Amino acid sequence: MYSPKEYLRHGIFFILTLLAATLAGAEWIYGKSIMVSGENALTWEYFVKSFAYSIPFIGILLVHELGHLFTSIYHKVKCSLPFFIPAWFGFIGAPSIGTLGAIIRMKGFVNSRKKFFDIGVAGPLAGFVVAIGVLTYGFTNLPPSDYILEIHPEYADPDFQGYEDAIDFELGQNLLFWYMSENLADPEKMPEMSEIIHYPFLFAGYLALFFTALNLLPIGQLDGGHVIFGLFPKHHRQISLVTFSAFLMYAGLGVISPYHPANELFFRIPLYVGFLYISYHKSGLSVQNKLTLALGIAAVQYAIVFIQPTWQGYQGWLLFAFLLGRIMGTRHPEVSGYKPLDFKRKMIGWLAILIFVLCFSPQPFIFK
């Protein structure tokens, strides 16, 4: 089915992604890097230890993509092998998690709502099951409470007063991670969210939930978009467009504010409205409607911040929203007929929606 050249190319990118994630894991977990010398230089010992992060994390992403692949093969739909995207930015001193994710490209024409649904939902469900296993192991096998002193020996100093100032990054909560931490972890060993990055299985599991939620957004041709298209084929366009607009509304809240200097707003407002307009590039809307939406979202955001100056969105979502609207779009390929899904598939669809709610974090990565 696939040529040796394809296996080789995709295999090389998978290995590169695994190595990139291992390097990123060494930086997050142990503060070790190949880009520095001295005490914080990455040694072979810590490189091997960092596989405790990269193997479960990349493994979960692999299982996710294999769910898509095997379901495509079952339905006789041609598709590519999983293509992993390595992303390690330690050479410029920037944080990274080792990958930008993985994709499978559909090569065959799909004219079945059932097939779209099955292929779309299989990946998130498969990856989610493995992520639950990784997190369960992580929460029930926490190291001793003094483990964190191996990473931050300064915390043991009774005169150390700079804990809050020393923490400049933390992970945001989601419902599932919070529930598992409350019910599976030993409270005496459970770290703060700002320290989860030093616990490889918890960090890998958290990132897996993040990618699961990202894929299950009910927009366009994301996995969640396929699920919504399966459940509500006649309303997919409206649901996708409303969700995408709400996503932009939340993400950009605070970008323009009546409390910014007037000369700054003079440049910021037209640039931001232009950004919103371009984000609707593949929405299928007319120029007038796209401009109306862009202006409307900007105006509502401006009014909200005027009334509640402390309300802020999560601007980290803006890049993803832009790529989603500019490249993938909010529409879904049409199929002939609207034959409803069977009861079992409908239940699986609602389960996928529940998983999205449990895994989604409004602010997944918080830089202070």
Side-chain angles (χ1 to χ4, degrees):
M1 185 176 180
Y2 299 104
S3 68
K5 185 177 179 181
E6 287 178 296
Y7 281 114
L8 179 62
R9 180 173 63 248
H10 290 265
I12 288 174
F13 273 92
F14 173 77
I15 292 173
L16 288 175
T17 302
L18 182 64
L19 293 176
T22 305
L23 293 176
E27 293 168 349
W28 285 111
I29 299 165
Y30 304 109
K32 306 292 184 180
S33 173
I34 62 173
M35 303 306 297
V36 300
S37 57
E39 184 181 349
N40 293 324
L42 177 62
T43 62
W44 179 252
E45 175 190 1
Y46 282 100
F47 180 77
V48 173
K49 284 184 177 181
S50 300
F51 278 110
Y53 157 78
S54 61
I55 289 178
F57 175 39
I58 302 303
I60 294 169
L61 296 186
L62 177 61
V63 170
H64 178 119
E65 296 305 323
L66 290 179
H68 292 314
L69 177 64
F70 292 150
T71 310
S72 297
I73 293 173
Y74 173 79
H75 283 302
K76 297 180 173 58
V77 175
K78 291 182 179 180
C79 66
S80 70
L81 290 167
F83 185 83
F84 282 80
I85 307 170
W88 173 68
F89 304 126
F91 60 92
I92 59 173
S96 59
I97 58 175
T99 182
L100 296 178
I103 59 172
I104 279 183
R105 187 167 60 87
M106 307 290 283
K107 294 181 177 179
F109 176 68
V110 183
N111 192 30
S112 164
R113 189 156 56 96
K114 182 179 73 173
K115 291 181 180 180
F116 266 129
F117 177 87
D118 288 355
I119 295 170
V121 81
L125 290 185
F128 178 75
V129 170
V130 181
I132 290 294
V134 169
L135 284 171
T136 299
Y137 178 83
F139 282 122
T140 55
N141 290 273
L142 289 170
S145 55
D146 60 356
Y147 159 78
I148 196 63
L149 299 180
E150 298 177 20
I151 313 296
H152 293 290
E154 66 273 14
Y155 292 173
D157 186 348
D159 296 325
F160 181 71
Q161 301 293 327
Y163 176 79
E164 292 297 331
D165 293 335
I167 303 300
D168 57 2
F169 172 82
E170 69 177 61
L171 301 176
Q173 280 283 14
N174 60 62
L175 290 174
L176 182 60
F177 196 89
W178 170 81
Y179 178 82
M180 294 184 75
S181 68
E182 291 289 317
N183 291 275
L184 297 180
D186 181 343
E188 304 230 342
K189 297 179 181 178
M190 184 62 200
E192 300 290 335
M193 291 304 290
S194 55
E195 303 292 359
I196 293 294
I197 57 174
H198 301 306
Y199 294 71
F201 290 99
L202 296 186
F203 191 29
Y206 179 90
L207 291 176
L209 299 186
F210 165 74
F211 276 102
T212 297
L214 211 60
N215 279 285
L216 282 176
L217 278 167
I219 299 172
Q221 297 185 59
L222 292 174
D223 297 338
H226 292 319
V227 170
I228 293 301
F229 185 71
L231 292 174
F232 313 106
K234 296 181 180 180
H235 305 289
H236 173 275
R237 185 181 181 187
Q238 295 91 330
I239 294 173
S240 177
L241 191 59
V242 168
T243 304
F244 181 69
S245 299
F247 191 60
L248 272 175
M249 178 75 74
Y250 168 69
L253 191 63
V255 172
I256 55 174
S257 165
Y259 304 102
H260 289 149
N263 60 336
E264 183 179 331
L265 282 175
F266 180 79
F267 293 101
R268 183 174 290 206
I269 289 177
L271 287 174
Y272 181 60
V273 171
F275 166 84
L276 293 174
Y277 176 83
I278 296 172
S279 295
Y280 283 98
H281 176 71
K282 286 195 172 182
S283 62
L285 298 173
S286 66
V287 171
Q288 181 179 354
N289 286 338
K290 285 189 286 188
L291 185 58
T292 300
L293 270 173
L295 289 169
I297 288 174
V300 172
Q301 289 172 331
Y302 190 88
I304 290 174
V305 175
F306 176 76
I307 298 170
Q308 292 289 344
T310 59
W311 286 10
Q312 296 288 317
Y314 183 70
Q315 295 175 18
W317 289 124
L318 286 176
L319 176 60
F320 180 72
F322 176 79
L323 294 174
L324 187 58
R326 182 67 179 80
I327 297 175
M328 293 186 64
T330 60
R331 292 182 294 176
H332 193 283
E334 295 294 332
V335 299
S336 58
Y338 290 107
K339 184 179 178 181
L341 298 178
D342 56 59
F343 178 78
K344 181 178 69 175
R345 284 186 170 86
K346 287 181 179 179
M347 291 299 98
I348 291 174
W350 283 108
L351 175 62
I353 293 173
L354 175 62
I355 290 173
F356 166 74
V357 173
L358 292 175
C359 294
F360 184 76
S361 174
Q363 295 185 316
F365 309 107
I366 305 170
F367 292 88
K368 299 179 181 179

